[in-house]
């Protein structure tokens, strides 16, 4: 039974807990064991088994006393390792913070813990969340479950199109595994494998939706300011948002309802009461007007992604939705604008890691200047150092107007593009999330980090630029047996509308769900 429970939804396992059919400690024990089985995928930097067991035992006590805290009580979750958890390593996947354990909890974790969620571990990421593959981590890359030997050994799934799938399990050459996407790839793989039911990532340019796309998951980037960023180590302050990974739309709603709302510790949160979202099982989309932006059909989009996009558009039309072509003319400038703003914030936010204030300290005693240089040289990888240097260049007095101020003006134009559509009664946008299925690692690293980010973030980043809510929905498997996904975007604070259409699509397409084989936890 435990194998089946680890493969199901929060709603279903919560019912089992409430009925007394299973104890939270039993689920926790199975989840921790499963982290060992899927360890070759490198989803976790730290498995917090001691914390998990303590929290699960507390949930057991509440279960016995009929005082459970809600649907998240006793539910295993994971958190990206750029969120602070008191007394536990928070590394940002960097040598710079390898020995850092914060003295406080991030607000999002505090809220999940208050509802009884069980922390299984801290997940892997690109160093300081700078990447789109989870391949640039001090702790090594994260591998995608899909297309891996771990999938074929421990999981099964059924798809109506199984006969079209060409298995790739026979490929055993070095570095031919598929990337998980990034920068929140560890969180995505943690959920996909069933080691937890939900995970938090962060999303600055697509870092939740991108790995959700490649791993076949629901991936939510909420409206900027809807969820507190307190305790999230920043990348780009004006675009960072906590992201949510789950296997179903309903589960994503549960997590959002648990963590959204104002926070006095974060002045960027919207200071009004959050109204929980509730979705109907019966959904009518005939009143929706859905835009298809032509700028997202760029060169490099795969035939299968384009076909997927077309097919879902037709399904929406058949259901009565008004599907119309639209234009977002400044989309092509968005990723360049983002690159400038990203590097400026990186240079500013990482200035405190100098060997004196925070982080790794080099063994250097000649001078403060030498200590500073050696510490930062040792503590940061090449990607981070490059972004710092470029950001400092953009922020020089003689370059500030040419780069930073011009990028801010372009950002306003990008935001205005979206506003025009919403004002013209477009309810939602449907686009690709990524341009292809998950690339192989050996192909992905042929291009440098910056170039890959320009490609991988093309469809996702504009939503961050405008602060909009956006969500990845898995649609089907490719002919190679890998997830293909699409993205929905909505106006500010219209998460309910976003989830409603996503749930309709989820019900129609019936993306295949992974199930643990019966013998998995016996090994």
């Amino acid at each position: 039974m435990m194998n089946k429970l680890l493969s199901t939804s929060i709603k279903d396992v919560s019912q089992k807990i409430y009925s007394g059919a299973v104890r939270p400690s039993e689920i926790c024990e199975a989840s921790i064991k499963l982290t060992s089985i899927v360890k070759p995928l490198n989803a976790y930097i730290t498995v917090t088994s001691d914390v998990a067991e303590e929290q699960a035992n507390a949930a057991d006590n509440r279960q016995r006393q009929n005082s459970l805290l809600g649907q998240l009580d006793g539910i295993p979750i994971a958190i990206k390792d750029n969120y602070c958890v008191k007394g536990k390593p928070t590394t940002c996947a960097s040598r710079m913070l390898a020995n850092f354990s914060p003295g406080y909890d991030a607000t999002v974790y505090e809220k999940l813990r208050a509802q009884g969620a069980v922390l299984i571990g801290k997940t892997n990421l690109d160093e300081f969340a700078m990447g789109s593959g989870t391949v640039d981590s001090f702790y090594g890359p994260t591998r995608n479950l899909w297309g891996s030997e771990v999938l074929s050994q421990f999981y099964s799934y059924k798809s109506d199109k199984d006969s079209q799938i060409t298995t790739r399990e026979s490929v055993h050459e070095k570095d031919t595994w598929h990337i998980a996407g990034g920068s929140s790839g560890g969180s995505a793989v943690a959920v996909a494998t069933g080691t937890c039911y939900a995970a938090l990532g962060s999303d600055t340019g697509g870092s939740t939706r991108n790995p959700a796309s490649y791993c076949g998951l629901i991936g939510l980037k909420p409206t900027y300011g809807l969820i507190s960023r307190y305790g999230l180590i920043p990348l780009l302050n004006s675009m960072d948002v906590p992201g949510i990974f789950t296997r179903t739309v309903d589960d994503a709603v549960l997590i959002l309802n648990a963590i959204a709302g104002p926070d006095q510790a974060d002045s960027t949160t919207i200071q009004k009461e959050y109204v929980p979202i509730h979705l109907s099982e019966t959904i009518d989309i005939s009143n929706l007007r859905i835009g298809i932006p032509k700028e997202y059909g760029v060169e490099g989009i795969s035939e299968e992604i384009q076909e997927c996009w077309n097919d879902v558009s037709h399904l929406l039309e058949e259901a009565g939705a008004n599907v119309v072509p639209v234009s977002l003319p400044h989309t092509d400038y968005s990723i360049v604008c983002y690159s400038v703003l990203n590097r400026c914030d990186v240079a500013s936010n990482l200035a405190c890691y100098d060997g004196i204030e925070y982080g790794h300290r080099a063994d250097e005693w000649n001078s403060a200047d030498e200590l500073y240089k050696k510490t930062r040289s040792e503590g940061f990888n090449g990607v981070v150092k490059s972004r710092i240097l470029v950001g400092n260049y953009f922020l020089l007095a003689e370059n500030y107007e040419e780069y930073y101020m011009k990028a801010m003006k372009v950002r306003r134009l990008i935001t205005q593009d979206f506003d025009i559509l919403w004002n013209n009664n477009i309810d939602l946008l449907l686009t690709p999330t990524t341009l292809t299925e998950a690339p192989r690692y050996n192909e992905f690293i042929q291009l440098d980090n910056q170039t890959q980010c320009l490609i991988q973030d093309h469809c996702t980043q504009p939503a961050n630029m405008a602060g909009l809510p956006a969500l990845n929905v898995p649609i089907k498997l490719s002919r190679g047996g890998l997830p293909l996904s699409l993205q929905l975007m909505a106006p500010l604070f219209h998460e309910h509308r976003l989830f409603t259409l996503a749930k309709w699509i989820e019900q129609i397409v019936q993306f295949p769900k992974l199930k643990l084989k019966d013998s998995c936890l016996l090994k």
Side-chain angles (χ1 to χ4, degrees), residues 3-310:
N3 291 55
K4 184 177 180 181
L5 282 178
L6 291 178
S7 304
T8 191
S9 67
I10 294 175
K11 179 181 177 181
D12 290 339
V13 75
S14 180
Q15 288 175 348
K16 294 289 186 182
I17 292 173
Y18 267 88
S19 70
V22 64
R23 295 195 307 274
S25 58
E26 293 175 316
I27 299 170
C28 174
E29 181 182 359
S31 294
I32 291 172
K33 183 171 184 179
L34 187 55
T35 63
S36 297
I37 293 172
V38 301
K39 191 173 182 179
L41 301 177
N42 201 28
Y44 289 89
I45 291 176
T46 304
V47 175
T48 53
S49 54
D50 55 340
V51 173
E53 289 166 4
E54 180 182 341
Q55 293 172 340
N57 288 333
D60 280 359
N61 290 333
R62 290 190 293 271
Q63 183 189 47
R64 283 191 290 268
Q65 297 166 10
N66 293 318
S67 59
L68 288 164
L69 301 172
Q71 287 184 286
L72 296 183
D73 205 346
I75 301 298
I77 55 102
I79 296 180
K80 187 175 179 179
D81 203 30
N82 57 350
Y83 287 92
C84 292
V85 171
K86 185 176 180 179
K88 290 297 175 184
T90 299
T91 70
C92 285
S94 174
R95 183 182 182 186
M96 183 61 78
L97 290 177
N99 297 315
F100 172 58
S101 294
Y104 68 100
D105 290 324
T107 296
V108 287
Y109 172 58
E110 199 172 68
K111 287 187 173 184
L112 288 171
R113 190 185 61 183
Q115 297 203 28
V118 174
L119 180 65
I120 296 298
K122 308 288 294 299
T123 57
N124 201 13
L125 63 149
D126 290 293
E127 183 166 333
F128 279 97
M130 298 182 202
S132 54
T134 313
V135 300
D136 292 311
S137 166
F138 180 63
Y139 299 95
T142 294
R143 302 183 180 211
N144 201 329
L145 173 63
W146 291 93
S148 71
E149 292 183 4
V150 172
L151 176 73
S152 59
Q153 187 174 0
F154 297 111
Y155 297 83
S156 63
Y157 63 91
K158 181 173 176 56
S159 168
D160 292 337
K161 299 186 178 181
D162 278 345
S163 59
Q164 299 179 27
I165 294 172
T166 304
T167 180
R168 300 185 178 187
E169 295 165 4
S170 59
V171 180
H172 294 293
E173 296 177 22
K174 183 182 178 183
D175 295 339
T176 57
W177 45 270
H178 297 273
I179 68 163
S183 63
S184 308
S187 290
V189 173
V191 175
T193 54
T195 58
C196 61
Y197 292 85
L200 297 185
S202 60
D203 195 311
T204 307
S207 287
T208 294
R209 289 158 289 155
N210 175 284
S213 174
Y214 287 152
C215 295
L217 300 170
I218 299 297
L220 173 70
K221 173 229 170 291
T223 301
Y224 183 84
L226 187 64
I227 302 176
S228 173
R229 295 185 299 116
Y230 180 72
L232 169 61
I233 295 174
L235 174 61
L236 208 173
N237 302 64
S238 66
M239 296 186 201
D240 291 346
V241 292
I244 296 170
F245 292 95
T246 59
R247 291 172 221 149
T248 69
V249 172
D250 284 336
D251 285 357
V253 172
L254 280 175
I255 300 297
L256 179 64
N257 286 345
I259 65 177
D263 180 13
Q264 293 302 316
D266 179 4
S267 62
T268 66
T269 55
I270 301 302
Q271 298 302 310
K272 67 178 182 179
E273 185 179 355
Y274 172 76
V275 179
I277 294 171
H278 301 284
L279 300 180
S280 171
E281 288 300 316
T282 304
I283 298 171
D284 178 12
I285 66 166
S286 61
N287 61 335
L288 291 179
R289 198 159 182 256
I290 301 166
I292 308 294
K294 66 180 183 180
E295 288 81 9
Y296 286 68
V298 296
E299 183 180 352
I301 188 171
S302 75
E303 179 184 337
E304 287 192 276
I305 291 288
Q306 182 66 58
E307 181 183 282
C308 188
W309 194 12
N310 294 340

Side-chain angles (χ1 to χ4, degrees), residues 247-521:
R247 291 172 221 149
T248 69
V249 172
D250 284 336
D251 285 357
V253 172
L254 280 175
I255 300 297
L256 179 64
N257 286 345
I259 65 177
D263 180 13
Q264 293 302 316
D266 179 4
S267 62
T268 66
T269 55
I270 301 302
Q271 298 302 310
K272 67 178 182 179
E273 185 179 355
Y274 172 76
V275 179
I277 294 171
H278 301 284
L279 300 180
S280 171
E281 288 300 316
T282 304
I283 298 171
D284 178 12
I285 66 166
S286 61
N287 61 335
L288 291 179
R289 198 159 182 256
I290 301 166
I292 308 294
K294 66 180 183 180
E295 288 81 9
Y296 286 68
V298 296
E299 183 180 352
I301 188 171
S302 75
E303 179 184 337
E304 287 192 276
I305 291 288
Q306 182 66 58
E307 181 183 282
C308 188
W309 194 12
N310 294 340
D311 289 347
V312 173
S313 299
H314 292 150
L315 288 173
L316 294 170
E317 286 182 313
E318 290 172 358
N322 187 9
V323 179
V324 295
V326 296
S327 178
L328 293 161
H330 294 95
T331 298
D332 289 344
Y333 302 108
S334 184
I335 195 66
V336 177
C337 174
Y338 170 70
S339 296
V340 173
L341 297 177
N342 178 296
R343 282 147 183 78
C344 291
D345 264 31
V346 165
S348 175
N349 285 329
L350 301 190
C352 63
Y353 302 113
D354 55 11
I356 299 171
E357 294 175 279
Y358 299 102
H360 167 75
R361 183 184 181 115
D363 185 16
E364 174 59 56
W365 303 95
N366 290 329
S367 68
D369 184 55
E370 288 299 316
L371 170 64
Y372 184 81
K373 287 192 294 185
K374 189 172 182 180
T375 291
R376 290 168 72 81
S377 178
E378 292 177 355
F380 295 133
N381 70 9
V383 172
V384 176
K385 285 185 281 192
S386 173
R387 293 198 188 191
I388 291 171
L389 290 171
V390 174
N392 282 324
Y393 175 79
F394 290 154
L395 292 172
L396 290 172
E398 61 266 32
N399 296 330
Y400 187 79
E401 287 285 338
E402 180 67 19
Y403 291 100
Y404 184 79
M405 291 304 297
K406 187 176 289 186
M408 290 297 289
K409 291 175 182 177
V410 173
R411 180 178 185 178
R412 179 178 294 179
L413 294 174
I414 293 163
T415 302
Q416 288 174 350
D417 283 350
F418 286 106
D419 290 341
I420 289 169
L421 294 187
W422 310 139
N423 291 334
N424 286 330
N425 298 317
I426 294 296
D427 296 306
L428 294 139
L429 297 175
L430 176 70
T431 75
T433 309
T434 53
L435 301 179
T436 66
E437 64 186 15
R440 293 190 184 278
Y441 172 74
N442 61 344
E443 298 167 351
F444 185 81
I445 60 172
Q446 294 300 310
L447 299 176
D448 61 77
N449 175 282
Q450 178 179 339
T451 304
Q452 279 293 3
C453 287
L454 293 175
I455 296 169
Q456 298 294 327
D457 293 348
H458 179 86
C459 297
T460 54
Q461 194 283 317
N464 297 83
M465 196 71 75
L468 301 173
L471 184 143
N472 180 76
V473 187
I475 305 299
K476 63 180 181 179
L477 296 181
S478 71
R479 288 185 285 274
L482 298 172
L484 300 175
S485 303
L486 294 176
Q487 175 182 231
L488 296 170
M489 289 184 275
L492 296 171
F493 302 106
H494 280 72
E495 275 77 5
H496 187 283
R497 186 186 299 173
L498 198 67
F499 280 129
T500 298
L501 184 55
K503 185 168 181 176
W504 183 90
I505 293 173
E506 179 182 63
Q507 292 172 341
I508 294 298
V509 302
Q510 294 289 301
F511 182 79
K513 303 299 182 185
L514 291 174
K515 296 181 179 180
L516 282 164
K517 292 181 179 179
D518 291 339
S519 60
C520 177
L521 294 178

